Amino acid sequence: MRSTLAEAWSMRRVWWFTATARTRARFARTFFGSFWLGLSNLFSIAALALVYGTVFKVEDFDAYVVYLGVGLVVWNSISSAIGSAPNLFEHNHAHVHNTNLNPIFYTLEEWAFQLQTFAQSFLLVLLALSWFQHNLLLNLLLHGWLPLLNLGLFIYWLPLIVCLLGARFRDVYQLVPILLQLVFLLSPILYKKKNLGAMAWTADFNPLYRILSPIRHTLMVGELQWVVGLVLLAVNLVGIWVALKLLNRERPFLPFLI
């Protein structure tokens, strides 16, 4: 475990740089460049807020736009990290077969890509949502560090476990998009938790919503939920330890699985 972490740290500039290069290549020759990350989210938020704000007949439309906007941009980040995980090693099969680079490199490169994508999108969306609630950026600076730290850790270890399962079982390729769609529909993102009625308990056992909810609460209310945040931090640290142990165990078999 120590040698894996030491190797990951020694390569930090490489996997961070290659992740940045992916983002630049993705938006090469576009006028707005990586601003499209935030703009695409803003278009989705505007459309969904108009439709569901009307369907649910919300009383406070400004608060609903912020609620939906923050929830959607965080969900998109979690969904993208998990959705791209099952075939991560498959995409890098040539490098896995022909080099002795520690596979943790590919997981960290993907993680860095997801972090950079989230940061660019999240900040632009938050700036736009500040029109509806002016203290969002202040709440982010004063209280947002712990929920965002938990998000950053979560979108590393859970996708890594999904990635290892995907290398072993091809069914995971098909299963993950279906599960993500179901979890999205069951999560209070477009609607409030109280709208679930007797099914509200499902949100408490929904790990993706448990990561999303503290971020939205902190930004909208300006209050850091210390107990929730520290419990999630402990879960995330255990999750990272388990994921890295599994990665080390599977490393010798990876070239034969992809």
Side-chain angles (χ1 to χ4, degrees):
M1 179 75 80
R2 286 184 182 178
S3 62
T4 300
L5 291 174
E7 198 168 353
W9 178 252
S10 68
M11 296 185 295
R12 64 190 182 281
R13 292 183 180 177
V14 183
W15 49 261
W16 188 264
F17 173 79
T18 54
T20 306
R22 281 177 60 189
T23 304
R24 288 177 179 172
R26 182 180 176 186
F27 296 103
R29 297 193 301 278
T30 61
F31 182 75
F32 291 110
S34 58
F35 280 104
W36 276 113
L37 293 168
L39 290 174
S40 60
N41 272 296
L42 286 175
F43 291 143
S44 300
I45 292 166
L48 292 173
L50 285 173
V51 172
Y52 286 95
T54 305
V55 170
F56 295 137
K57 299 178 181 175
V58 295
E59 296 178 356
D60 188 344
F61 187 76
D62 288 359
Y64 178 69
V65 171
V66 176
Y67 178 88
L68 184 146
V70 174
L72 198 62
V73 72
V74 174
W75 168 262
N76 285 342
S77 177
I78 295 174
S79 173
S80 174
I82 297 174
S84 62
N87 53 1
L88 177 62
F89 288 133
E90 190 76 30
H91 283 164
N92 292 284
H93 72 278
H95 300 294
V96 174
H97 286 152
N98 298 306
T99 69
N100 62 351
L101 191 64
N102 192 318
I104 196 173
F105 174 87
Y106 310 112
T107 67
L108 288 170
E109 184 202 39
E110 181 65 24
W111 177 61
F113 176 74
Q114 297 295 343
L115 281 182
Q116 293 171 15
T117 300
F118 170 72
Q120 294 176 72
S121 176
F122 185 65
L123 288 175
L124 187 59
V125 168
L126 221 56
L127 277 172
L129 294 179
S130 295
W131 172 268
F132 299 95
Q133 183 175 336
H134 304 313
N135 60 351
L136 284 178
L137 290 174
L138 182 62
N139 290 341
L140 173 68
L141 292 173
L142 294 179
H143 310 291
W145 65 274
L146 185 55
L148 290 177
L149 173 64
N150 280 322
L151 172 67
L153 296 175
F154 183 76
I155 63 172
Y156 178 71
W157 70 264
L158 186 61
L160 174 53
I161 292 176
V162 173
C163 174
L164 294 171
L165 288 173
R168 281 273 176 189
F169 310 102
R170 294 294 179 92
D171 303 86
V172 177
Y173 288 37
Q174 309 301 324
L175 190 59
V176 165
I178 298 170
L179 287 178
L180 283 174
Q181 189 174 17
L182 289 175
V183 173
F184 176 75
L185 294 174
L186 289 172
S187 301
I189 296 172
L190 300 177
Y191 50 86
K192 297 288 183 69
K193 183 180 175 181
K194 63 183 181 183
N195 293 122
L196 285 170
M199 294 286 290
W201 59 271
T202 59
D204 297 328
F205 293 94
N206 180 340
L208 307 189
Y209 181 71
R210 299 299 295 179
I211 293 293
L212 183 154
S213 179
I215 298 175
R216 184 159 59 187
H217 176 86
T218 300
L219 293 179
M220 294 190 68
V221 180
E223 173 192 43
L224 181 55
Q225 297 170 304
W226 280 102
V227 175
V228 174
L230 292 175
V231 169
L232 286 176
L233 182 61
V235 171
N236 280 327
L237 292 176
V238 172
I240 288 175
W241 181 80
V242 171
L244 292 180
K245 290 285 284 186
L246 290 173
L247 178 64
N248 280 340
R249 195 184 70 176
E250 292 291 300
R251 182 181 177 183
F253 309 108
L254 280 178
F256 306 102
L257 296 173
I258 57 176

